[in-house]
Amino acid sequence: MRLAVTGATGFVGGAVCRAAVAAGWQVTAFGRRATADAGRLAGAAYRSWDIGAAKLADPPAVDAVVHCAASATDTGVAREVWRTNLLGTHHVLASFPGRRIVHVSSGSVYDPFRPTVCAKEHEAPVERYLNAYAAAKAAAEQLVLAVARDAVVLRPHAVYGAGDTTLLPRLLENVRFGRLPVPGTGKVLVSMTHVDSLARACLLAATAEPAWPSVFNIADRAPVTVDWALRGLLASAGVPVRPAYVPAWLLSPPARAFPRGRLNRYVISQFAVERTLDTTAAIERLGFEPAPTAFPPP
């Protein structure tokens, strides 16, 4: 199996590279950086490519592409987010016409204005989103499904695991005096996705023959409470921090006034109400085997 992986220097892309190499696949890794840590890529061949700038001049011959590259920020400049997440996806499609495209999307494409309760794949995209990240990911999904003859879209949520460069670091940035302020009560349920499970799902999607529409939620075996998840993530970092819950209604006015603040409307929507995914389709049609939520030791 010959595989191309975009965003290979990132958290998810690196995990996909390591899983594919371990499976004996021939992997070409792509990322924006000039060079990459060979260990993180398990020795996969690496090429520098800014997908937001242009299509690839000399693409390798591959059987499939796992497209992980994305601007994963809820406070970034909208122009740059759209450049990477939508224009970049267009350049990936143009660079590998006729190939199986596995597009790693996000659970953020579901409706942010109401709880996501065991959401099924047909419930997204929706008309309105709270930030450029979610809107661009939804638009990229639609582009992939419209243009690629052979495409699979995966929707993970709250991806975590060893080497996390997004979720856990963002939490630690918000710690103040040994407390982590969190919108809501901590009692609502959330679906988490271990990065190794997501990597395995990517390899399944690269080789499976699912019927259209090929969109799948990817998550751990069962939801957990926000409080349990946060305590596990913080403990995995070896940081003696405890969540401090703040009623969402108190945070809503400042979140509206400062939409790019750390406790913005998007963050409130992710922590204060249920965000759970139904993975039945991935289990039945991809052969995905979800594992229980488990955090790495500190």
Side-chain angles (χ1 to χ4, degrees), residues 124-185:
V126 295
E127 293 184 356
R128 296 185 303 155
Y129 291 100
L130 290 171
N131 59 16
Y133 169 72
K137 292 298 281 186
E141 276 193 15
Q142 293 175 294
L143 176 65
V144 168
L145 294 172
V147 172
R149 182 188 64 190
D150 193 8
V152 180
V153 172
L154 303 181
R155 292 175 181 160
H157 184 261
V159 182
Y160 70 100
D164 176 12
T165 57
T166 303
L167 180 58
L168 182 55
R170 179 69 186 274
L171 293 176
L172 296 179
E173 286 178 358
N174 291 324
V175 171
R176 296 291 183 274
F177 307 107
R179 294 288 186 270
L180 174 67
V182 182
T185 64

Side-chain angles (χ1 to χ4, degrees), residues 179-196:
R179 294 288 186 270
L180 174 67
V182 182
T185 64
K187 297 178 181 179
V188 299
L189 294 175
V190 60
S191 288
M192 306 284 289
T193 308
H194 195 284
V195 69
D196 291 343

Side-chain angles (χ1 to χ4, degrees), residues 84-263:
T84 299
N85 294 355
L86 184 59
L87 181 59
T89 298
H90 165 72
H91 289 150
V92 171
L93 294 170
S95 300
F96 297 96
R99 301 298 92 190
R100 163 67 60 85
I101 302 293
V102 179
H103 177 64
V104 179
S105 184
S106 168
S108 294
V109 300
Y110 289 102
D111 194 341
F113 296 96
R114 64 180 182 86
T116 303
V117 182
C118 294
K120 294 183 180 297
E121 289 79 358
H122 71 271
E123 296 178 35
V126 295
E127 293 184 356
R128 296 185 303 155
Y129 291 100
L130 290 171
N131 59 16
Y133 169 72
K137 292 298 281 186
E141 276 193 15
Q142 293 175 294
L143 176 65
V144 168
L145 294 172
V147 172
R149 182 188 64 190
D150 193 8
V152 180
V153 172
L154 303 181
R155 292 175 181 160
H157 184 261
V159 182
Y160 70 100
D164 176 12
T165 57
T166 303
L167 180 58
L168 182 55
R170 179 69 186 274
L171 293 176
L172 296 179
E173 286 178 358
N174 291 324
V175 171
R176 296 291 183 274
F177 307 107
R179 294 288 186 270
L180 174 67
V182 182
T185 64
K187 297 178 181 179
V188 299
L189 294 175
V190 60
S191 288
M192 306 284 289
T193 308
H194 195 284
V195 69
D196 291 343
S197 292
L198 178 55
R200 289 193 296 271
C202 288
L203 301 198
L204 288 170
T207 56
E209 295 297 335
W212 189 92
S214 300
V215 181
F216 301 100
N217 293 327
I218 303 296
D220 292 346
R221 185 173 300 166
V224 297
T225 65
V226 165
D227 184 70
W228 191 89
L230 290 176
R231 291 177 184 272
L233 287 168
L234 293 168
S236 72
V239 179
V241 174
R242 303 180 70 176
Y245 294 99
V246 183
W249 65 268
L250 282 178
L251 296 173
S252 293
R256 290 178 180 275
F258 303 98
R260 292 177 61 184
R262 289 183 174 178
L263 289 177

